[in-house]
Amino acid sequence: QPSAVVRAKLPTVARARTEPALEDFDAQVAHYKSVQDDVMALPGSANQGWLRIDAKPVKQALSTWVTKWMFAYTHHLQTRVVRSLEELGAFMREVNAGLKEPPEAGDVAALVRAMAHIRDVRVCTDEIDAMFEPLKAAVALLRRYGISLPDTVAEQLEAAPFVWEDTKKATLHAREELGPAQSLQAEKIKEDADVFAARLRDFRAAFARDAPFEWPANAVDIGVTAAGSEALDGAYASMDALHLAIADIEAEAAALSEQEELFDLQVHSWRDIAHCRSELRGLKGVWDHVALACNVFAAWRATPWARVEVEEMLAQGRALEREVKGLPKAARAWGVHAGLWSLVQELIVALPLVSDLRDEAMRDRHWKKLMRICGKTFVMDTKFKLDHLLALNLHEFQDSVGDIVEQARQELKIDNQLQKIISTWAGLELQYEPFKQTGVYVLKPADTVIEALDDNENSLQNMMGNRFMSFFEVEINEWRTKLSKVRAVLDIWAEVQRAWCSLESIFLGSEDIREQLPEDAKRFDQVDSDFREQMTVAKEQSNPIDAAMQDMREEVFNKCQASLDLCQKSLSDYLEVKKKRFPRFYFVAPADLIDILSKGRYPPAVQEHFSKFTDNTGKIDWVKDEAGKETGECQGMTSTDDEYVPFSSNFVCEGQVEDWLSGLMEHSCEEIRLSLKDAINSFVELPRNEWLYKYPAQMSLTTGQVWWTTEVNSAFERLEQGNENALKDYLQTVIQGLKTLVDLVLGHLSKGDRVKFITLITVEVHARDIVQRLINTRVDNAGAFAWQSQLKYRWDEDTDNCLINIADAEMKYCYEYVGNTGRLVITALTDRCYVTLTQALRLILGGAPAGPAGTGKTETTKDLGRGLAIW
């Protein structure tokens, strides 16, 4: 291959291998020729209605542009042909002139020039031989598009191949004539090459010895001290001198190589020179990075501590690290590279530690601990710089620095939590409110305080488990003691207050209980005195800690609690005695029971609790004295739905409350029994419309069921006597009774009467359905299960009581007053429940319906209880 110098002398056609092919030029010119034809074929004007458009200017402009593009391509080809022929002619004339006269003996320069011409022809032969046909094809293409070249150009193109052949022959002739001189000069060049090789080996050794490959001891002072700057300047001066030396030896090597090429000798590569140049280039890069790193680091070290931007420094350090990694791999064996890498790595390791040490959690104690670990001291003042910290060689104590920073952060967290606890308890307050008319202010529920207690005690417990809590251990233990004291006092305080509030009205407001429990009354008086004294003082103490830390408060409350427990036990025993004497008290809340007992001497004051141990007794009708005040004598009762039942004889409530309540319950049941008996007897004597208004709902409903049972049994007897229509005849009677009730409901009624009649309709509809079912299933005797499974009411003349039969169970009607309440519709499932529950009662067992919510389980059970008149 020709050298760069020879390549520059070649004609354009021989060198332009990157130009497009001739076919591409032909295609482009043909394309624009076609476009030109299309433009010329366009009309010069056009009419659009009344408007005539002159297209000639546009047509001319388009034609001009197309022509310019065609000219650009053809002119380029024309210029290329002319220039190639001119350069080829000049090249051949130069060669022929140089070879015309042979060099004289001993004229080395002339010999070298002749050998250069021979060499140029030799290396250009193939390319010039191949250039004539492309030039002829380009000329033919231009002529096809009407572009002719000057005659001189055509003549040159025709003569050029012949002149070139003559030039090659002249070269061969000259080569033969110069053969002896060439051989002599080739031997001399070989000798020069051997001498140059020896010099190059010495130069390589000197380069390895003198080049600044090692890391100077004072390199870290570069950019800081004069000695450091001298070390850097010395390295650059050494590299400059080596650069000049390499440039000189490169020039000698180039001249020698060119002579070897001219005289057909093996050309030496002189790799040592390339190695020296490559190493010098790499060494220059390493020292440039040394200068950059040292100057940047020096600037960082001089930065005051308050203005250190660690993140920015670390980013620059990482970038510098990547640049050092990108240096040639061969440089890694040099001491200067190792020193640079170590310097960068130390700072890369130290900067994150510096960042950690800038944490706001660092306190004086932590800096002192760092000094002890690193074995150096410094003063943290306004003159403190990053250099003072880096002088500690932080990279050697990486783990220790991490531990110190972690300790500082954990201690700051503990400190913040303690401060939060302090501020929380400084802002918490206990609130008090007056208790009834006692004049005592009691503590309101301290939910906020309890919540703070739970949170803060957990926080303190977690602090104790922290391995860095030693500095705050005393303060943590103090707060744990305080909060533990607050919790203990608030807990006992709440218990004592709760017990005092519940017993105060009992022992201080009930003379009956004080008489019954004299020792406990005295004990409570002492508790009351102590509690009032404590609350008087506590009302002035809003802070929970101050209130809890009051002298002897916890001890006093513990003493009060012990006494209150004794009072509570005695009171519970007393209430148990009352419950046994009047068992319905078991269904009354203790507070209500105490209220009943405390008011038992004045019966009208107790009636507000009647609905709590009866089914539907809302209030009692008390006889009033001459002053209009209610007495303990009762003359009737009213349900919660305002139905009134008068007593045929008055009942006087006197004695212990449980005694007169038992007597009153028995008296009311007897009154219901007498009223029910009268209703049953008058059912057939009075017209239905009159009878329905005369008696309360309970008596009307039960009487209807008694007569329904009687009539159905009579129908069965008539069936047995041969009257096959007995049940059907009674069904018509039931239907007629329902129509009477419906007519009444459609009229004007009071609220109580309307509820009563609707309830009667509900029950009698079920009675009608049962009779219809007996007819449909052809039941012909009273012993059939279809009839035995129903609640059947009857009045027993022997015992003078209402009895209820269902299956094989027989129960006495209990005469509990149930008032004027509605009933659920009775379904087949209701009948099953009634059978099951009554069988359980017969066997002295319990029972309860089960099923999804909202299906009427509880109401069904209540309806059965009302049907049996039992609560």
Side-chain angles (χ1 to χ4, degrees), residues 824 834 856-864 866:
L824 293 179
Y834 285 178
K857 302 183 297 298
T858 303
E859 292 303 320
T860 298
T861 306
K862 287 183 177 180
D863 275 2
L864 177 60
R866 294 188 182 106

Side-chain angles (χ1 to χ4, degrees), residues 6 23 31 112 198 206 210 268 302 437 457 671 682 756 760 871:
V6 177
E23 291 78 4
H31 168 70
V112 169
D210 299 335
H268 289 78
Q437 304 299 323
E457 283 184 332
E671 290 294 331
S682 63
K756 178 170 70 173
L760 286 170
W871 182 69

Side-chain angles (χ1 to χ4, degrees), residues 399-436:
D399 293 339
S400 299
V401 173
D403 291 341
I404 292 174
V405 175
E406 179 63 19
Q407 177 183 352
R409 290 171 178 169
Q410 292 296 327
E411 288 182 355
L412 178 62
K413 186 185 296 184
I414 294 174
D415 190 22
N416 290 338
Q417 290 177 333
L418 285 173
Q419 295 304 317
K420 183 179 179 181
I421 292 173
I422 293 171
S423 63
T424 297
W425 286 94
L428 287 175
E429 292 185 355
L430 296 175
Q431 297 181 346
Y432 305 89
E433 60 182 353
F435 178 70
K436 298 181 179 179

Side-chain angles (χ1 to χ4, degrees), residues 643-655:
E643 182 186 58
Y644 180 70
V645 178
F647 291 165
S648 60
S649 62
N650 292 354
F651 178 79
V652 178
C653 300
E654 57 186 2

